[in-house]
Amino acid sequence: MEAYSLLQASIVLLFSCCMMMAMASDMMSMTISNRIPVILIVVFLGAAFASDLSWPIYGWHVAAGVGTLAVTFALFFFRAMGGGDAKLIAATALWMGPGLPLAQYLVWSAVLGGVLTLVLLALRYSPLAAPASATRLFRHLADRKAGIPYGIALGAAGLLAFPSSPLGEWALANM
């Protein structure tokens, strides 16, 4: 495997691992570690440089991340969203850039978040809630008082939208 394709595979792997870590973390603890968005930002900076992303396009990606952070921070301020979710959305928006990939990510997040909410409400009000709440894996998912671990939907949406993002297309091109 060439060094360039190894770099591309590493980028895909790191992005995917960050999304899956966010999903698992939110499911298990109802929190998303600050390390995950930080890793996404740092890896993006290196990947953008390695992919020869032009400076204007790079600027648009940064604008998408900062703009999304402003919106999600406002939602967090009004208690409509968790802080970890806000940071994860913004870091993922940095990868998606403006346009269709970001729109796909946000739509997938909304759709999967809605499905997740309906599934958790069904679980929480079913006879399965008691045995599920006795396990570490499903404890928060079955708790009626717990919020919705939206990181699950955000991570899955990131995985679905990544292949259409500029860095996703570049990284997957030679694999």
Side-chain angles (χ1 to χ4, degrees):
M1 183 179 257
E2 296 177 20
Y4 210 57
S5 358
L6 185 59
L7 173 66
Q8 290 168 303
S10 298
I11 289 167
V12 172
L13 182 64
L14 283 167
F15 181 84
S16 300
C17 283
C18 282
M19 292 294 113
M20 289 185 282
M21 286 172 48
M23 294 166 69
S25 173
D26 212 15
M27 185 170 100
M28 299 291 287
S29 67
M30 299 294 288
T31 60
I32 299 171
S33 170
N34 287 335
R35 286 182 225 139
I36 296 170
V38 168
I39 291 168
L40 283 169
I41 292 166
V42 169
V43 172
F44 170 80
L45 297 174
F49 179 74
S51 72
D52 293 329
L53 203 65
S54 72
W55 283 106
I57 299 296
Y58 177 82
W60 283 111
H61 277 259
V62 171
V66 171
T68 305
L69 181 62
V71 171
T72 58
F73 183 76
L75 291 169
F76 168 71
F77 181 77
F78 291 110
R79 300 187 192 276
M81 173 179 287
D85 297 334
K87 291 177 269 188
L88 181 62
I89 292 170
T92 307
L94 178 69
W95 279 78
M96 298 300 147
L100 186 58
L102 180 56
Q104 288 174 331
Y105 172 65
L106 296 174
V107 168
W108 274 116
S109 295
V111 169
L112 294 173
V115 169
L116 176 67
T117 300
L118 293 174
V119 167
L120 290 183
L121 286 174
L123 169 66
R124 290 172 180 177
Y125 289 91
S126 78
L128 296 173
S133 65
T135 67
R136 182 166 186 235
L137 182 62
F138 297 110
R139 178 178 48 231
H140 295 294
L141 300 178
D143 184 358
R144 289 183 187 178
K145 295 177 185 171
I148 303 297
Y150 211 72
I152 296 170
L154 297 175
L159 292 172
L160 289 169
F162 178 71
S164 65
S165 71
L167 287 176
E169 288 178 345
W170 172 80
L172 294 169
N174 297 322
M175 291 179 60

